[in-house]
């Protein structure tokens, strides 16, 4: 689980890197194909200039109309007075006013009797099409939240544009005023007739309503209709409910007192409930307390409170030892003692009569319940009689309610009609008014075409089409554009970049550039490759060099790499394992019967058979094992134990072992050899290899866990004029070079041409190697 934790963080970083890489690729494409961008921009500018030079000049004229709603004085209608300027009605109908201005009636009126000098836009057109032509060139707009209408007309003649806009505004105002007056008069007459008819119906309903009221016994009280039977029944119902409650309480109290008397409980706990239920005066009389006694006690308490207040007030002014203060204090104490003794006497009387308290409370509770029950029965009988009377009047009351609803509806209709009449009866020329806030004037500059707009459109279209064309061409070109792209997509480093080397004119080992010109600038790429291998993070004593497809220059890279290893003092063995098309053997003029195929078929020990098939000291420190005679089963020979024994023997004799293998996509030999050596190096020719093919080659190594040390970019052109995405470096002994891909140049270097003369065709190779390919798959 810990190994999977970093994945969510790595994914966004990888996506960001891919986006950045794509952007950099596209910028490289724009830089290299800047000619395409400039051509698209130039074409766009030429087309824009042609349009600007040939387009018909059009001139705009516009005017502004302000719509206001004038004040209305309705004071003569029902004593009300309302006035307003611009209201919500104007804003609500602004869209309607816009459409009316471009309606056929307004436009036809504006075109009527149009002077000939202003018909420049209608010359050669039938008169019946003039309104549509005018409508297509007229624009009416309204800024949101305002009552301003902007009228704009476009014409080939600026004077004609100003004249037609003025005519449209004038005809529009005339049309609106005429329509408003006509509409108001018709609507006013209709509303007056409707109001009179509604008044007649209301009078009939009022008469019917009064008749039904008299018949049902209903009368009006303070604006409300009162039905006497129903009103009596409502009041009886309220009294009946209250009496039922009192009867229930009296019965509950009677049951409680009876149970308390039977069980011998203390009746003093029911005393206060008895005060509330039976009345304080009755209970006081039963207990020996009269109303006069209660009044006297209350009077004495009132006098006591008054004396206390007087004592407090005088004590602040006279002091505590004043004779008046002392006299008042004595009177207050005397009255307090009298009241206390009175309540003690009352309590003694209550305790003395406690033995008779139960029977007295029981008698009183029975009397209260009988009175309440008798009143309840009487009220119930009276309520039943009133309900029968009210029920007999239900039909009459329903008719009365319906007539009352009709009266109310007719009254509301009359009020609404009167409101509409008040709005239509305009006083002092009120209503919608139009004022022209801006007059139409001939324009001195054309509105179309506009130079700034044409230039902007040309730039946008030119740059946009140029970038789009570059993007499409970039998608169609399935080649690597830069070392960074190569490294990011393959996931391996670029070990070296080798320029296209001219032919030396020599043969054999003298055809190897690093041998014939050891101090040439071209050799620095192979010394760089040697350094990369030497400082790799793992041991790379045994290395196989291959390519994506034939003709990529792997043999040239391998021969020069072997020479620079020998020049560095390392004892180097170069094995030509391409037994189908032995390019290395042909390059070094080592064709013959002796070579790798003999070693792999021989059964003798390696220490015996290898020296017989090795060409020693081709250059100082470099031994070569040529491919030998062509076998019928090269893949099986390479997969045998003899080849691994050969590599093990070579490890004890040489410091560096280099194996030249066939292209990885053609046969399975490089995969077999890659499993036996320390690392593999892939030679890529960007001007020839397609992206998908190179990716398939790296995936083939990864599928069998072959260590791909990196790639060598081969055949870079020094002709930067054909550079597409610009590889380059500068180095040399006093010389500067710029190298780049030359995608239009497919000529092989001298070594490649020499090899091609001795190599069979691709079709022959694929035919012979079909079994090996099938086994590799």
């Amino acid at each position: 689980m810990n190994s999977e934790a970093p994945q969510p963080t790595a994914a966004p970083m990888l996506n960001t890197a891919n986006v950045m890489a794509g952007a950099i690729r596209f910028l490289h494409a724009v830089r290299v194909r800047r000619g395409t961008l400039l051509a698209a921009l130039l074409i766009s500018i030429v087309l824009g200039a042609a349009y600007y030079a040939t387009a018909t000049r059009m001139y705009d004229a516009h005017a502004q109309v302000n719509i206001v709603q004038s004040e209305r004085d309705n004071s003569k209608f029902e004593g009300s007075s309302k006035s307003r300027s611009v209201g919500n009605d104007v804003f609500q109908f602004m869209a309607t006013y816009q459409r009316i201005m471009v309606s056929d009636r307004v436009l036809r009126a504006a075109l009527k009797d149009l002077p000939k000098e202003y018909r420049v836009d209608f010359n050669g057109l039938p008169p019946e099409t003039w309104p549509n032509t005018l409508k297509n060139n007229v624009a009416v707009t309204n800024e949101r939240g305002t009552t301003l209408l902007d009228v704009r007309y476009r014409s080939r003649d600026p004077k004609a544009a100003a004249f037609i806009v003025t005519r449209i505004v004038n005809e529009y105002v005339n049309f609106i005023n005429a329509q408003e007056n006509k509409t108001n008069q018709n609507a006013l007459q209709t509303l007056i007739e409707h109001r009179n008819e509604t008044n007649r119906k209301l009078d009939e309903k009022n008469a019917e309503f009064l008749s039904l009221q008299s018949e049902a016994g209903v009368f009006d009280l303070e604006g409300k209709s009162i039905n006497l039977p129903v009103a009596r029944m409502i009041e009886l119902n309220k009294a009946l409910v209250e009496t039922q409650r009192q009867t229930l309480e009296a019965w509950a109290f009677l049951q409680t007192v009876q149970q308390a008397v039977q069980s011998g409980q203390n009746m003093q706990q029911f005393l206060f409930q008895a005060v509330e239920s039976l009345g304080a005066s009755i209970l006081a009389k039963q207990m020996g307390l009269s109303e006069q006694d209660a009044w006297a006690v209350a009077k004495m308490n009132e006098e006591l409170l008054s004396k206390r207040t007087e004592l407090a007030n005088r004590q602040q002014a006279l002091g505590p030892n004043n004779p008046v203060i002392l006299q008042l204090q004595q009177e207050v104490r005397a009255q307090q003692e009298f009241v206390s003794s009175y309540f003690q006497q009352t309590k003694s009387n209550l305790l003395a009569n406690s033995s008779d308290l139960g029977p007295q409370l029981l008698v009183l509770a029975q009397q209260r319940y009988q009175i309440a029950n008798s009143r309840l029965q009487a009220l119930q009988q009276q309520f039943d009689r009133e309900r029968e009377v009210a029920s007999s009047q239900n039909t009459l009351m329903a008719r009365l309610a319906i007539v009352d609803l009709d009266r109310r509806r007719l009254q509301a209709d009359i009020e609404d009609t009167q409101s509409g009449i008040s709005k239509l009866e305009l006083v002092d020329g009120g209503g919608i008014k139009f004022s022209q806030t801006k007059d139409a004037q001939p324009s001195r500059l054309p509105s179309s075409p506009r130079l700034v707009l044409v230039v902007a459109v040309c730039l946008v279209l030119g740059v946009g089409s140029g970038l789009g064309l570059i993007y499409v061409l970039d998608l169609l070109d399935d080649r690597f554009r830069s070392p960074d792209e190569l490294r990011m997509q393959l996931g391996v480093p670029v070990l070296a970049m080798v320029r296209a080397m001219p032919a030396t004119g020599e043969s054999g080992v003298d055809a190897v550039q690093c041998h014939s010109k050891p101090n040439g600038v071209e050799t620095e790429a192979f010394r760089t490759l040697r350094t990369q291998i030497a400082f790799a993070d793992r041991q790379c004593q045994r290395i196989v060099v291959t390519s994506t497809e034939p003709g990529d220059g792997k043999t040239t890279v391998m021969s020069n790499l072997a020479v620079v290893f020998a020049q560095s003092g390392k004892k180097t063995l170069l094995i030509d394992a391409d037994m189908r098309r032995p390019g290395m053997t042909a390059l070094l003029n080592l064709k013959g019967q002796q070579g790798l195929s003999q070693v792999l078929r021989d059964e003798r020990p390696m220490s015996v058979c290898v020296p017989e098939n090795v060409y020693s000291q081709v250059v100082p420190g470099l031994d070569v094992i040529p491919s030998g005679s062509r076998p019928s089963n090269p893949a099986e020979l390479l997969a045998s134990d003899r080849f691994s024994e050969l590599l093990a023997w070579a490890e004890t004799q040489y410091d560096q072992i280099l194996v030249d293998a066939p292209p990885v996509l053609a046969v399975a030999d490089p995969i077999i050899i890659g499993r036996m050596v320390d690392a593999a190096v892939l030679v890529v020719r960007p001007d020839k290899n397609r992206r998908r093919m190179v990716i398939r080659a790296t995936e083939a190594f990864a599928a069998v866990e072959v260590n791909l040390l990196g790639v060598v970019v081969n055949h870079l052109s020094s002709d930067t004029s054909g550079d597409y995405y610009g590889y380059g470096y500068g180095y040399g002994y006093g010389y500067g070079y710029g190298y780049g891909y030359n995608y239009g140049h497919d000529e092989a270097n001298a070594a490649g041409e020499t090899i091609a003369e001795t190599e069979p065709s691709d079709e022959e190779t694929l035919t012979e190697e079909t079994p090996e390919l099938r086994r590799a798959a």
Side-chain angles (χ1 to χ4, degrees):
M1 293 181 66
N2 294 335
S3 62
E4 297 179 356
Q7 290 182 0
T9 305
M13 295 177 61
L14 183 59
N15 292 336
T16 304
N18 291 336
V19 172
M20 294 298 296
I24 294 173
R25 274 183 52 197
F26 186 69
L27 291 178
H28 278 302
V30 173
R31 181 180 66 84
V32 176
R33 293 189 181 272
R34 54 187 175 274
T36 303
L37 179 61
L38 293 176
L41 185 58
L42 180 61
I43 293 173
S44 177
I45 292 175
V46 170
L47 293 177
Y51 166 76
Y52 185 78
T54 59
T56 302
R57 278 11 182 206
M58 304 296 292
Y59 298 86
D60 281 356
H62 67 96
Q64 276 188 348
V65 178
N66 186 26
I67 304 176
V68 295
Q69 184 170 347
S70 299
E71 297 181 354
R72 294 175 178 176
D73 187 2
N74 299 328
S75 58
K76 68 177 183 177
F77 300 108
E78 300 177 357
S80 64
S81 176
K82 297 181 182 179
S83 65
R84 60 179 179 174
S85 180
V86 179
N88 293 330
D89 292 343
V90 176
F91 291 104
Q92 182 179 358
F93 294 107
M94 286 303 296
T96 303
Y97 295 145
Q98 285 181 251
R99 295 189 183 95
I100 292 176
M101 186 168 286
V102 291
S103 63
D104 288 342
R105 293 191 61 178
V106 173
L107 297 182
R108 290 183 185 277
L111 291 172
K112 186 178 180 181
D113 299 330
L114 185 67
K116 292 183 179 181
E117 61 269 23
Y118 300 128
R119 298 181 184 179
V120 62
D121 300 317
F122 309 102
N123 291 334
L125 297 177
E128 59 270 12
T129 63
W130 289 7
N132 289 334
T133 304
L134 180 61
K135 186 174 184 179
N136 293 334
N137 293 324
V138 172
V140 181
T141 58
N142 167 242
E143 184 179 353
R144 186 178 182 86
T146 68
T147 58
L148 294 175
L149 289 181
D150 187 89
V151 188
R152 188 178 300 270
Y153 177 69
R154 177 168 294 185
S155 173
R156 288 178 287 179
D157 184 1
K159 294 182 179 180
F163 181 81
I164 291 177
V165 166
T166 303
R167 287 284 294 268
I168 291 175
V169 172
N170 294 336
E171 294 299 332
Y172 171 70
V173 173
N174 295 335
F175 175 79
I176 292 294
N177 289 336
Q179 289 297 116
E180 185 178 7
N181 292 335
K182 181 179 178 181
T183 302
N184 287 351
Q185 292 299 327
N186 294 337
L188 184 60
Q189 183 63 30
T190 302
L191 290 177
I192 292 175
E193 294 177 357
H194 179 72
R195 182 189 62 183
N196 296 335
E197 178 66 18
T198 306
N199 281 329
R200 184 187 62 80
K201 293 181 179 179
L202 180 60
D203 292 339
E204 295 177 356
K205 290 295 180 180
N206 285 335
E208 184 179 0
F209 183 76
L210 293 176
S211 176
L212 290 174
Q213 272 190 332
S214 176
E215 184 178 353
V218 177
F219 63 93
D220 290 334
L221 181 62
E222 297 180 354
K224 297 182 179 179
S225 297
I226 304 298
N227 188 341
L228 292 178
V230 174
R232 287 195 300 270
M233 187 180 67
I234 293 174
E235 294 299 327
L236 285 174
N237 184 65
K238 293 179 180 179
L240 182 61
V241 171
E242 179 64 22
T243 303
Q244 288 177 344
R245 184 186 64 80
Q246 294 176 359
T247 303
L248 183 61
E249 290 178 356
W251 179 83
F253 183 73
L254 175 61
Q255 296 296 321
T256 303
V257 172
Q258 288 178 350
Q259 294 178 2
V261 171
Q262 293 175 1
S263 60
Q265 297 180 7
N266 186 5
M267 301 304 295
Q268 293 182 4
Q269 60 181 337
F270 299 104
L271 183 60
F272 294 103
Q273 185 177 359
V275 172
E276 297 177 358
S277 303
L278 304 177
S281 60
I282 299 176
L283 183 62
K285 185 177 180 180
Q286 292 294 330
M287 295 295 104
L289 302 176
S290 64
E291 292 182 0
Q292 292 78 7
D293 295 337
W295 179 83
V297 172
K299 186 66 176 177
M300 292 185 68
N301 283 329
E302 184 178 353
E303 292 178 357
L304 178 61
L305 180 60
S306 177
K307 288 183 180 295
R308 286 178 178 176
T309 303
E310 182 181 0
L311 176 63
N313 294 334
R314 290 192 174 190
Q315 192 173 9
Q316 294 179 358
L318 302 178
N321 298 321
N322 190 279
V324 177
I325 298 300
L326 296 175
Q327 180 64 28
L328 287 174
Q329 289 178 348
Q330 184 178 0
E331 292 177 0
V332 168
R333 283 195 295 271
Q335 287 189 358
Q336 285 180 343
E337 292 175 358
F338 177 78
V339 172
S340 299
S341 62
Y342 178 82
F343 281 108
Q344 289 293 332
Q345 183 63 33
T346 302
K347 184 176 180 181
S348 300
N349 295 337
L350 181 62
L351 293 175
N353 297 328
S354 60
S355 58
D356 298 332
L357 184 60
Q360 292 176 1
L361 287 177
L362 181 60
V363 172
L364 292 175
Q366 291 175 348
Q367 293 176 354
R368 176 172 176 256
Y369 173 70
Q370 292 175 357
I371 294 171
N373 190 35
S374 299
R375 186 167 181 268
L376 176 63
Q377 294 177 359
L379 286 174
Q380 184 66 46
Q381 294 175 359
Q382 187 176 0
F383 178 80
D384 292 339
R385 289 194 298 270
E386 293 296 337
R387 184 171 58 182
E388 292 178 359
V389 174
S391 299
S392 63
Q393 294 182 344
N394 282 341
T395 304
L396 191 60
M397 293 303 298
R399 289 179 56 194
L400 185 63
I402 293 173
V403 173
D404 187 49
L405 290 176
D406 291 340
R407 289 173 59 248
R408 296 177 185 274
R409 177 180 55 80
L410 292 173
Q411 185 63 39
D413 191 7
I414 291 174
E415 292 176 358
D416 294 340
T417 305
Q418 185 61 45
S419 176
I421 293 173
S422 301
K423 293 180 180 180
L424 291 176
E425 290 180 340
L426 305 178
V427 179
D428 296 331
I432 301 299
K433 293 296 182 181
F434 299 85
S435 61
Q436 190 167 342
T437 58
K438 184 175 182 180
D439 296 332
Q441 298 294 335
S443 177
R444 292 180 298 174
L445 298 177
S447 59
S448 175
R450 296 169 59 185
L451 180 60
V452 175
L453 181 60
V454 171
V455 171
V457 171
C458 290
L459 291 177
V460 172
L461 292 180
V463 174
S465 59
L467 294 178
L469 182 59
I470 291 173
Y471 181 75
V472 172
L473 294 176
D474 187 61
L475 289 179
L476 296 177
D477 187 5
D478 187 27
R479 288 175 290 184
F480 290 104
R481 284 95 174 164
S482 68
D484 293 334
E485 182 183 356
L486 190 68
R487 179 174 59 253
M488 291 182 64
Q489 293 205 13
L490 299 183
V492 295
V494 176
L495 301 177
M497 294 186 291
V498 182
R499 63 168 294 186
M501 296 177 291
T504 62
E506 304 293 339
S507 62
V509 72
D510 294 331
V512 181
Q513 193 79 20
C514 292
H515 176 66
S516 61
K517 297 181 181 179
N519 295 327
V521 176
E522 297 83 356
T523 61
E524 292 304 321
F526 299 103
R527 291 191 178 96
T528 301
L529 177 59
R530 180 189 65 192
T531 303
Q532 294 278 9
I533 295 174
F535 288 97
D537 57 356
R538 64 184 69 187
Q539 182 183 4
C540 295
Q541 184 182 3
R542 301 174 299 177
I543 295 177
V544 59
V545 179
T546 182
S547 63
T548 303
E549 50 188 326
D552 292 343
K554 65 175 179 59
T555 300
T556 302
V557 174
M558 173 63 83
S559 59
N560 283 276
L561 179 61
V563 170
V564 296
F565 266 121
Q567 291 174 350
S568 67
K570 287 188 175 183
K571 188 177 180 181
T572 306
L573 174 63
L574 177 59
I575 302 174
D576 187 0
D578 189 354
M579 292 181 285
R580 293 176 171 84
R581 302 177 65 178
M584 183 66 68
T585 302
L587 174 65
L588 299 178
N589 292 330
L590 298 178
K591 283 190 175 183
Q593 297 299 321
Q594 294 181 347
L596 180 62
S597 59
Q598 281 71 29
V599 174
L600 298 181
R601 285 196 293 259
D602 201 335
E603 296 182 356
R604 292 178 298 169
M606 290 296 170
S607 59
V608 177
C609 66
V610 172
E612 297 177 357
N613 295 279
V614 171
Y615 287 86
S616 302
Q617 299 297 320
V618 176
V619 296
L622 175 62
D623 294 346
V624 178
I625 299 179
S627 62
S629 60
R630 179 181 296 181
S632 60
N633 56 345
E636 284 76 5
L637 291 177
L638 293 173
S640 64
D641 294 337
R642 292 288 293 177
F643 187 71
S644 60
E645 292 174 2
L646 171 61
L647 294 177
W649 174 84
E651 273 188 300
T652 63
Q653 303 296 323
Y654 296 92
D655 300 322
Q656 188 68 46
I657 303 168
L658 302 176
V659 182
D660 185 10
V664 66
L665 296 182
V667 293
D669 298 1
I671 304 298
I672 297 173
I673 299 173
R675 294 284 296 174
M676 302 180 185
V677 298
D678 299 324
V681 175
L682 181 65
V683 178
V684 177
R685 184 171 170 178
D687 62 334
K688 175 175 174 289
N689 298 143
R690 298 295 177 181
R691 186 195 313 268
R692 293 186 297 272
M693 305 297 288
V694 178
I695 294 176
R696 283 178 54 194
T698 57
E699 290 175 349
F701 282 124
V704 294
E705 298 181 355
V706 173
N707 175 30
L708 182 58
L709 186 62
V711 297
V712 176
V713 180
N714 188 33
H715 204 272
L716 298 179
S717 174
S718 60
D719 181 12
T720 57
S721 62
D723 185 7
Y724 188 40
Y725 289 108
Y727 282 163
Y729 64 88
Y731 183 79
Y733 300 103
Y735 299 91
Y737 294 87
Y739 302 132
Y741 286 168
N742 183 3
Y743 285 110
H745 180 65
D746 291 334
E747 296 179 359
N749 55 37
E753 292 173 353
T754 305
I755 296 169
E757 294 175 357
T758 61
E759 292 177 346
S761 64
D762 293 342
E763 292 80 359
E764 180 182 352
T765 301
L766 294 175
T767 303
E768 292 178 356
E769 295 165 359
T770 302
E772 288 79 0
L773 287 173
R774 185 180 302 109
R775 282 190 292 274

